[in-house]
Amino acid sequence: MTFYGGVESQEELTHMLVEDKVFEENKIHEVLLNIFIEDVDGEIEATISKFTDATMLRASIDLMEARASKMDLKCALEECSMALNLFLNNKFSEALELLRPWSKDSMYHALGYSTILVMQAAMTFEQQDIQMGISTMKDALQTCQRFRKRSTVVESLSNLVSKQTVDQLSEEEMHAEICYAECLLQKAALTFVQDENMINFIKGGLKIRTSYQIYKECHQVLQMTQGNKSKNETYYQFEGGVKLGIGAFNLGSIILFYAARIDILKGNFEKAQLRFQDCIAAQQEWKQIHHLCYWELMWCYTFQQDWLQAYRYADLLSKESRWSKAIYVFQKAAILCMLPEDDLKSTGEDIVSLFRQVDGLKQRIAGKSIPTEKFAVRKARRYACPQPVKLILPALEMMYVWNGFAVVGKRADLTENLLVTIEKEETALENETNHNEYYVDDVCMLHLLKGLCLKHLGRLMQAELCFSKVIQSEKQIKYDTYLVPFTLYELGLLYKQQDEREKAIRYIETAKNSYKEYSMESRLHFRIHAALDSLKVSPASTP
């Protein structure tokens, strides 16, 4: 192993710290704190244990603490660049380890550390990852806030940049502004991931607006300091950060996407489709924005049961986007299952072949599987055997997984249409004479989906009956064990809707505490956390 300060071995490190009489602060900084190895903790402890002089040991600890609180801007930028290189080379743990020690004392370490955790949360959708992302981003905002000028330009009543104000800004305060703006953007993204409702989208929009204001003010600062500031490396980093932020906000496509998402939450799917098309046409450089639009368009058409159009966008995603090939291919196959035979033939697709591809496409992010990928892989296994057993309404099941019924439920006409489709499949399943091993699972899944439609249509007693049938069949369910805890949760929400608070809490907490190791467990726990919070019950207080 190699130490950052040019020290090649533990013995050399020990010699320098113990044998040498001169205790040079800068050298201690380099050796003890800027270490870049994989398993450093044990080595440092072994080295420190060799100290016989308690005073020297105390001095080394003091210096370590002092270094953490006095990380200068140049060093912070260098280390964060190093962490970025690690991250881009898939060394997530090493990047986090490099950033963690100073994430509470350096704005760039705070931004880098929280950014990695936010990206991990967005990819894995594990409850603990999302909670960790939220927590670290709050910490990062607080850290950046400490470095900002007390009365910032954005917060002032005039909201104008004056020459006097700019002259009073230190270089550190300038950097703090763009770090704070970036953290706000990340916080907005987490707000959207946390819970797709109108209030969170409004909160996210306000954060985006504040971030934009900060970047605009920083751009004015940049223009006013072009001639009178020394052009050192940290200044160029500030310049790059400002221009990147302004450039991102100059994509009008982002605003169009945001407006379209608001339309979806209102149930205005037709209007949202037009906005997404405008968003796609607005720019051609960032294909990732196109992919976001394809995903939303796929769901808009799914809500309307326009399966050919939904297939079109699922197909584009499976061919162009690299986020999760397993989910895209499964989604495409699931949509194809909904098509009439003639329409299916016109696509030239082989459903069985597509489902059989899913398992080989799964991936791991930061050492973890993506829960929705695991779910898709498990469902697709029905097509792995020589005699495939077809999935029942897989596109609607995935709609539930992605919380789509809460969105489409705002449209009674479309919800009625979905109910007709579900009841038609329910009748066909009941009329089958030879029941396969998945029969009870499929019936229960249909009861859950039917109950959701009935709930959104205001037919609450019928919805309760559907949910109760699933719970009563618990011991007969063989594979889709997720159905019971999810149904208990939905039944709890139904009672909440009827102002039966105690009953609601009891069913939701049963879902939380009585079931383990089922598909999409982290996603349900995340929903439970939000539900209990809305009922003014602390999830932490439950046994």
Side-chain angles (χ1 to χ4, degrees):
M1 85 186 164
T2 302
F3 290 91
Y4 179 83
V7 180
E8 296 292 335
S9 67
Q10 178 185 323
E11 288 73 24
E12 188 176 346
L13 174 62
T14 305
H15 175 78
M16 190 173 68
L17 295 178
V18 180
E19 301 299 331
D20 290 359
K21 301 302 180 184
V22 180
F23 218 75
E24 298 180 18
E25 179 176 329
N26 289 338
K27 202 64 177 176
I28 293 292
H29 289 174
E30 287 187 7
V31 176
L32 285 181
L33 298 170
N34 291 332
I35 293 171
F36 184 65
I37 53 174
E38 290 190 359
D39 186 22
V40 67
D41 293 339
E43 297 291 343
I44 289 295
E45 288 177 7
T47 300
I48 290 177
S49 68
K50 292 189 177 183
F51 282 100
T52 55
D53 187 342
T55 303
M56 185 176 286
L57 176 58
R58 180 65 257 169
S60 68
I61 294 172
D62 288 343
L63 285 170
M64 291 174 73
E65 292 174 348
R67 177 60 169 169
S69 64
K70 294 179 180 177
M71 173 70 69
D72 61 70
L73 189 59
K74 183 175 182 295
C75 185
L77 286 166
E78 289 173 353
E79 290 205 353
C80 288
S81 295
M82 191 184 298
L84 176 62
N85 288 330
L86 286 169
F87 177 78
L88 294 175
N89 284 285
N90 297 320
K91 296 182 178 180
F92 305 115
S93 298
E94 291 93 331
L96 287 171
E97 286 303 314
L98 184 60
L99 294 168
R100 183 183 290 114
W102 300 280
S103 61
K104 299 290 180 69
D105 299 286
S106 160
M107 65 182 107
Y108 276 106
H109 284 80
L111 173 61
Y113 184 68
S114 58
T115 297
I116 293 174
L117 291 178
V118 166
M119 291 181 69
Q120 180 172 307
M123 295 297 286
T124 66
F125 220 91
E126 290 280 359
Q127 185 196 21
Q128 59 267 31
D129 289 342
I130 293 172
Q131 294 297 339
M132 179 63 77
I134 291 170
S135 176
T136 53
M137 188 50 70
K138 285 180 179 176
D139 291 342
L141 281 166
Q142 290 174 2
T143 299
C144 294
Q145 181 64 38
R146 293 205 311 268
F147 289 93
R148 298 175 76 197
K149 193 171 183 63
R150 284 189 177 274
S151 179
T152 65
V153 176
V154 173
E155 294 168 338
S156 67
L157 292 174
S158 64
N159 203 33
L160 294 172
V161 177
S162 67
K163 183 68 168 65
Q164 184 179 3
T165 305
V166 171
D167 289 340
Q168 291 173 353
L169 277 174
S170 69
E171 195 169 40
E172 194 172 60
E173 288 169 341
M174 290 162 62
H175 280 265
E177 291 298 318
I178 57 171
C179 286
Y180 190 82
E182 179 62 27
C183 284
L184 279 177
L185 279 179
Q186 306 250 7
K187 189 76 163 35
L190 268 186
T191 302
F192 300 151
V193 171
Q194 185 178 5
D195 187 16
E196 292 191 348
N197 61 48
M198 186 64 70
I199 293 174
N200 276 341
F201 264 77
I202 292 171
K203 288 180 179 177
L206 291 172
K207 289 182 177 69
I208 290 172
R209 183 181 182 279
T210 303
S211 177
Y212 176 59
Q213 284 294 113
I214 293 173
Y215 274 118
K216 274 206 329 183
E217 302 294 351
C218 286
H219 190 251
Q220 291 185 50
V221 169
L222 191 65
Q223 291 176 321
M224 296 176 71
T225 56
Q226 287 292 324
N228 60 359
K229 288 284 184 180
S230 58
K231 301 296 182 66
N232 56 25
E233 182 59 31
T234 56
Y235 181 83
Y236 286 123
Q237 291 278 6
F238 172 75
E239 182 180 38
V242 172
K243 288 182 177 179
L244 180 63
I246 290 293
F249 278 106
N250 278 339
L251 292 170
S253 58
I254 292 176
I255 306 303
L256 288 168
F257 180 84
Y258 181 78
R261 286 294 287 126
I262 293 292
D263 284 328
I264 286 180
L265 291 176
K266 290 178 177 178
N268 298 331
F269 305 128
E270 296 82 1
K271 188 176 179 181
Q273 287 161 6
L274 294 175
R275 288 190 189 273
F276 283 127
Q277 295 293 355
D278 289 341
C279 181
I280 292 167
Q283 60 85 35
Q284 300 301 316
E285 289 76 22
W286 284 17
K287 289 295 182 183
Q288 293 84 352
I289 294 179
H290 289 189
H291 299 157
L292 290 172
C293 293
Y294 296 162
W295 177 260
E296 299 295 341
L297 283 164
M298 178 190 74
W299 285 116
C300 281
Y301 287 115
T302 296
F303 297 152
Q304 297 168 296
Q305 296 192 76
D306 186 342
W307 300 116
L308 274 176
Q309 284 296 330
Y311 157 73
R312 177 190 170 198
Y313 290 105
D315 185 49
L316 283 169
L317 285 167
S318 69
K319 290 175 179 175
E320 294 183 14
S321 177
R322 293 185 295 175
W323 175 70
S324 173
K325 292 287 187 182
I327 290 174
Y328 294 145
V329 171
F330 181 89
Q331 197 74 39
K332 180 166 79 167
I335 290 169
L336 288 168
C337 287
M338 310 297 292
L339 285 172
E341 193 63 33
D342 289 342
D343 287 341
L344 176 60
K345 285 181 180 178
S346 72
T347 67
E349 298 279 8
D350 183 344
I351 290 177
V352 174
S353 175
L354 288 171
F355 277 124
R356 287 176 175 174
Q357 291 175 34
V358 174
D359 185 56
L361 295 171
K362 65 180 183 292
Q363 59 184 335
R364 298 180 73 83
I365 304 295
K368 297 181 180 180
S369 300
I370 299 174
T372 40
E373 280 196 352
K374 290 166 69 176
F375 180 81
V377 166
R378 192 179 59 75
K379 299 295 289 189
R381 284 177 187 150
R382 283 169 64 156
Y383 291 83
C385 57
Q387 299 296 323
V389 181
K390 74 168 188 173
L391 290 167
I392 304 299
L393 302 185
L396 300 193
E397 185 175 20
M398 288 302 283
M399 186 196 297
Y400 176 64
V401 166
W402 290 100
N403 209 24
F405 278 87
V407 179
V408 76
K410 295 180 176 66
R411 288 277 296 270
D413 57 335
L414 299 181
T415 305
E416 284 280 8
N417 293 341
L418 287 169
L419 181 60
V420 170
T421 299
I422 294 165
E423 288 181 332
K424 182 180 177 182
E425 195 67 35
E426 187 179 34
T427 301
L429 201 59
E430 288 172 354
N431 291 337
E432 286 186 0
T433 53
N434 297 319
H435 296 163
N436 59 53
E437 59 183 320
Y438 299 97
Y439 176 76
V440 175
D441 297 52
D442 290 340
V443 169
C444 288
M445 190 270 292
L446 290 176
H447 282 320
L448 172 58
L449 301 186
K450 183 177 179 179
L452 290 165
C453 290
L454 291 167
K455 182 186 81 167
H456 289 295
L457 290 169
R459 294 152 65 178
L460 304 186
M461 288 185 66
Q462 290 173 275
E464 182 179 0
L465 181 62
C466 287
F467 294 150
S468 297
K469 286 180 180 178
V470 178
I471 296 166
Q472 290 163 9
S473 304
E474 177 177 358
K475 293 184 179 178
Q476 297 167 271
I477 294 173
K478 292 184 177 180
Y479 302 101
D480 292 327
T481 54
Y482 83 94
L483 288 169
V484 176
F486 272 83
T487 301
L488 284 165
Y489 162 76
E490 295 294 348
L491 194 52
L493 293 185
L494 187 69
Y495 291 132
K496 176 191 173 188
Q497 188 175 336
Q498 299 175 84
D499 294 323
E500 297 186 59
R501 183 177 177 277
E502 297 304 320
K503 224 174 178 182
I505 292 171
R506 186 166 72 251
Y507 276 90
I508 292 173
E509 289 192 333
T510 299
K512 176 178 183 284
N513 298 318
S514 300
Y515 299 88
K516 303 292 180 186
E517 298 180 1
Y518 52 87
S519 293
M520 309 301 298
E521 183 176 353
S522 61
R523 182 161 293 201
L524 178 59
H525 276 254
F526 193 66
R527 294 180 187 178
I528 286 172
H529 180 92
L532 292 176
D533 186 59
S534 70
L535 287 161
K536 305 302 180 186
V537 176
S538 171
S541 67
T542 59

